[in-house]
Amino acid sequence: MTGSRVVALGHYQPAKVLTNDDLAAMVDTSDEWITSRVGIKTRHVGGPDEPVDELAAHAGAKALAAAGLQPSDIDLVLVATSTAIDRSPSMSARVAARLSMGSPAVMDINVVCSGFTHALAVADHTIRAGAATRALVIGADKMGDIADWTDRTTCVLLGDGAGAAVVTADPSAPDTPGGPGIGPVLWGSVPEMGNAVRIEGTPPRFAQEGQSVYRWATTQLPPIARKVCEKAGIAPEDLAAVVLHQANLRIIEPVARKIGAVNAIIARDVVDSGNTSAASIPMALSKLVERGEVASGAPVLLFGFGGNLSYAGQVIRCP
């Protein structure tokens, strides 16, 4: 069976940076309060003239350029997002139009913070089934549009951005030493706790039960992440990097430690970018690759979690 592989990455963030001191002028908070509780220092925030599909298209264009492909080479576009305001055209259709693609299949996937890892699995499965050969998979969210800027417990978390991956068919992937380019996904949810993370109302606003999410993430997710590695046939100590959803440094660090990836680089892009929901994993991975911190072909654990409460993870070979 044909496998698939991530061959290139790209990311994009709006130019405007909002610091903790900037937030302290807006709500009752401080740099010390934010840093000690969530580890975030800055976040990027887009303006009204920077819609979600524009962020996504910029990231997608960079990934295509890195892959040496033309937009017309792509036959599947998947955009993971939970901040699309309009129902139609979808974000994926708008990205395809912005990039002047030919006639790709276009689908949006809304699994909030674990959206990208879900979308990556869908792309992998679609290519394995022979229904596509080259996919552009994007995580893009404009969390600033749904933030309650009067709530100091949530507005300090959120940022805007997009990350993209080009995924191609790879007939040699099943026989590749060390496993396929994209390993098997492990995904699921806890429906009875779905209300712990919410984007509801008119206009929609982000809210969460912070302590419930923290307890769930730090106690229930590490064993699941270890099972992801087991499904991929790799020991956690052999991982070169771990890219978790960039929710909160106080979640990322204990979860990574409990996974047992003692030799891995741990992505901490949340410090500079905040929580960008579906964008956080591809954006953090793209930056690691851009800085040359992970070698091509090295095993990387991607693990998304959050809204619904849902999770999805896979081990991939770094492009």
Side-chain angles (χ1 to χ4, degrees), residues 35-292:
T35 303
S36 65
R37 285 163 176 78
V38 296
I40 298 169
K41 286 290 187 181
T42 60
R43 69 285 293 150
H44 293 246
V45 180
D49 58 343
E50 297 175 283
V52 175
D53 57 293
E54 180 176 324
L55 307 183
H58 281 308
K62 290 184 177 182
L64 287 170
L69 295 175
Q70 297 300 314
S72 57
D73 294 326
I74 298 297
D75 51 16
L76 173 65
V77 181
L78 300 175
V79 176
T81 185
S82 57
T83 53
I85 302 302
D86 300 322
R87 300 293 185 267
S88 182
S90 66
M91 289 297 104
S92 51
R94 293 181 188 211
V95 167
R98 282 184 179 272
L99 297 179
S100 300
M101 291 183 166
S103 55
V106 290
M107 286 179 277
D108 287 2
I109 294 178
N110 178 2
V111 204
V112 201
C113 307
S114 61
F116 178 79
T117 44
H118 276 82
L120 187 62
V122 171
D124 174 53
H125 297 165
T126 304
I127 289 172
R128 286 175 180 271
T133 56
R134 299 186 186 95
L136 181 61
V137 184
I138 303 173
D141 270 308
K142 199 176 176 193
M143 301 302 287
D145 279 357
I146 61 171
D148 179 351
W149 293 105
T150 67
D151 179 5
R152 72 170 189 166
T153 65
T154 57
C155 75
V156 301
L157 298 169
L158 306 177
D160 302 343
V166 174
V167 181
T168 67
D170 184 0
S172 67
D175 302 317
T176 301
I182 298 177
V185 69
L186 179 60
W187 51 13
S189 66
V190 188
E192 65 271 21
M193 293 180 65
N195 283 336
V197 180
R198 304 179 299 280
I199 301 173
E200 296 176 333
T202 305
R205 288 290 176 261
F206 172 85
Q208 69 172 0
E209 308 300 329
Q211 287 302 311
S212 295
V213 174
Y214 176 82
R215 285 192 297 271
W216 171 72
T218 56
T219 61
Q220 302 301 309
L221 295 183
I224 297 172
R226 288 196 296 271
K227 288 181 182 177
V228 174
C229 296
E230 182 180 336
K231 290 191 72 169
I234 189 165
E237 58 267 26
D238 293 331
L239 292 168
V242 172
V243 185
L244 305 175
H245 166 50
Q246 302 292 291
N248 177 333
L249 203 58
R250 290 181 61 231
I251 292 176
I252 292 167
E253 291 181 335
V255 170
R257 183 173 62 252
K258 291 176 182 179
I259 290 171
V262 293
N263 299 310
I265 293 170
I266 308 302
R268 294 179 172 85
D269 187 51
V270 68
V271 174
D272 302 314
S273 301
N275 181 341
T276 56
S277 195
S280 76
I281 287 177
M283 198 159 65
L285 179 59
S286 178
K287 291 180 182 181
L288 289 179
V289 171
E290 185 176 76
R291 294 193 297 263

